[in-house]
Amino acid sequence: MSMDSQQALQQALHYLESGTPERCVQWCDKILAGNPDLIQALYLRGCAKFQTGDIEQSISDLKIVHGNHPEHLHAAYYFGRSLRAAGRLEAALAPLQAALGESKLELQARYELASCLSRLRRRPEAIDHYQAILKHQPGNAQVAANLASLLERENRLDEAEQWTGKALLMNPASETAVMTRATLDRRSGKFTQAAQRLR
């Protein structure tokens, strides 16, 4: 790789990390015009395209990176995340599963996996991922609320009650937790409380 390409990649990375993904895309386009197979440029553009909302282009770039370099676990994670955002949930599972091998990405990858699995109605697997996240982040109110909601749907009502309580202590305004508490109230015959919560 030429010195110019190396500097251009550094510039593209700078724009991606400083929150101006449009500029990152412009630099990557320049690099790829002269070197269309440069994996680093495809990777950076794929990440930047996700941030600009161009999910299909993000998938297209990251698919090439992941296909050629399955050991590049950051690419696997961002590829899986883009597939999940596009609603291609089954396809997202394998790259996200691969990303669990990178400790820095483990919790984010578990969260994305849990999101996919819960939408695919594979709730017991999603529950396992949320529980694993909470071992590392016991104060994560969103994960606690999501877990409570899935436990209720799986009829594990005592556990659902416990996690709903924890989620509401951490964030009393959590819509997911309030809805789960209302559902639990309704299921145990506390119709007045359920109605108040839903209001």
Side-chain angles (χ1 to χ4, degrees), residues 14-171:
H14 164 73
Y15 283 124
L16 181 67
E17 289 178 339
S18 65
T20 43
E22 298 82 2
R23 299 297 304 277
C24 174
V25 169
Q26 288 166 1
W27 277 87
C28 290
D29 285 344
K30 276 185 210 163
I31 299 165
L32 290 162
N35 196 341
D37 300 322
L38 194 62
I39 285 294
Q40 294 99 312
L42 285 166
Y43 170 66
L44 290 176
R45 188 173 71 178
C47 293
K49 283 286 188 180
F50 180 88
Q51 290 182 21
T52 64
D54 187 349
I55 303 299
E56 285 308 320
Q57 184 61 55
S58 172
I59 289 171
S60 161
D61 286 345
L62 292 169
K63 183 178 185 178
I64 296 168
V65 182
H66 181 59
N68 285 289
H69 293 277
E71 77 289 350
H72 187 331
L73 297 186
H74 281 79
Y77 169 72
Y78 290 115
F79 179 44
R81 187 180 68 165
S82 295
L83 288 166
R84 198 266 309 147
R88 288 151 69 177
L89 305 175
E90 286 284 359
L93 296 176
L96 288 171
Q97 196 70 42
L100 293 177
E102 166 57 73
S103 59
K104 289 195 186 83
L105 293 170
E106 187 199 341
L107 299 182
Q108 294 147 274
R110 282 193 186 282
Y111 190 85
E112 294 285 340
L113 275 165
S115 170
C116 290
L117 290 162
S118 113
R119 283 168 63 194
L120 290 165
R121 307 223 163 150
R122 290 165 59 176
R123 289 192 280 262
E125 291 166 80
I127 285 169
D128 288 345
H129 284 297
Y130 282 140
Q131 287 175 328
I133 294 170
L134 286 160
K135 282 196 178 108
H136 295 277
Q137 297 180 338
N140 191 322
Q142 184 60 60
V143 171
N146 292 355
L147 174 61
S149 170
L150 292 181
L151 289 165
E152 182 275 318
R153 285 187 229 163
E154 286 291 291
N155 295 311
R156 291 163 62 175
L157 301 183
D158 290 345
E159 289 170 275
E161 189 69 59
Q162 184 192 350
W163 281 107
T164 304
K166 287 182 182 176
L168 287 169
L169 273 176
M170 290 186 260
N171 177 12

Side-chain angles (χ1 to χ4, degrees), residues 161 168 177-199:
E161 189 69 59
L168 287 169
V178 169
M179 289 297 289
T180 304
R181 175 48 58 79
T183 306
L184 290 165
D185 283 347
R186 184 171 51 77
R187 290 185 70 168
S188 63
K190 300 176 189 162
F191 300 113
T192 313
Q193 288 99 312
Q196 280 171 343
R197 283 183 199 288
L198 290 171
R199 270 205 292 279

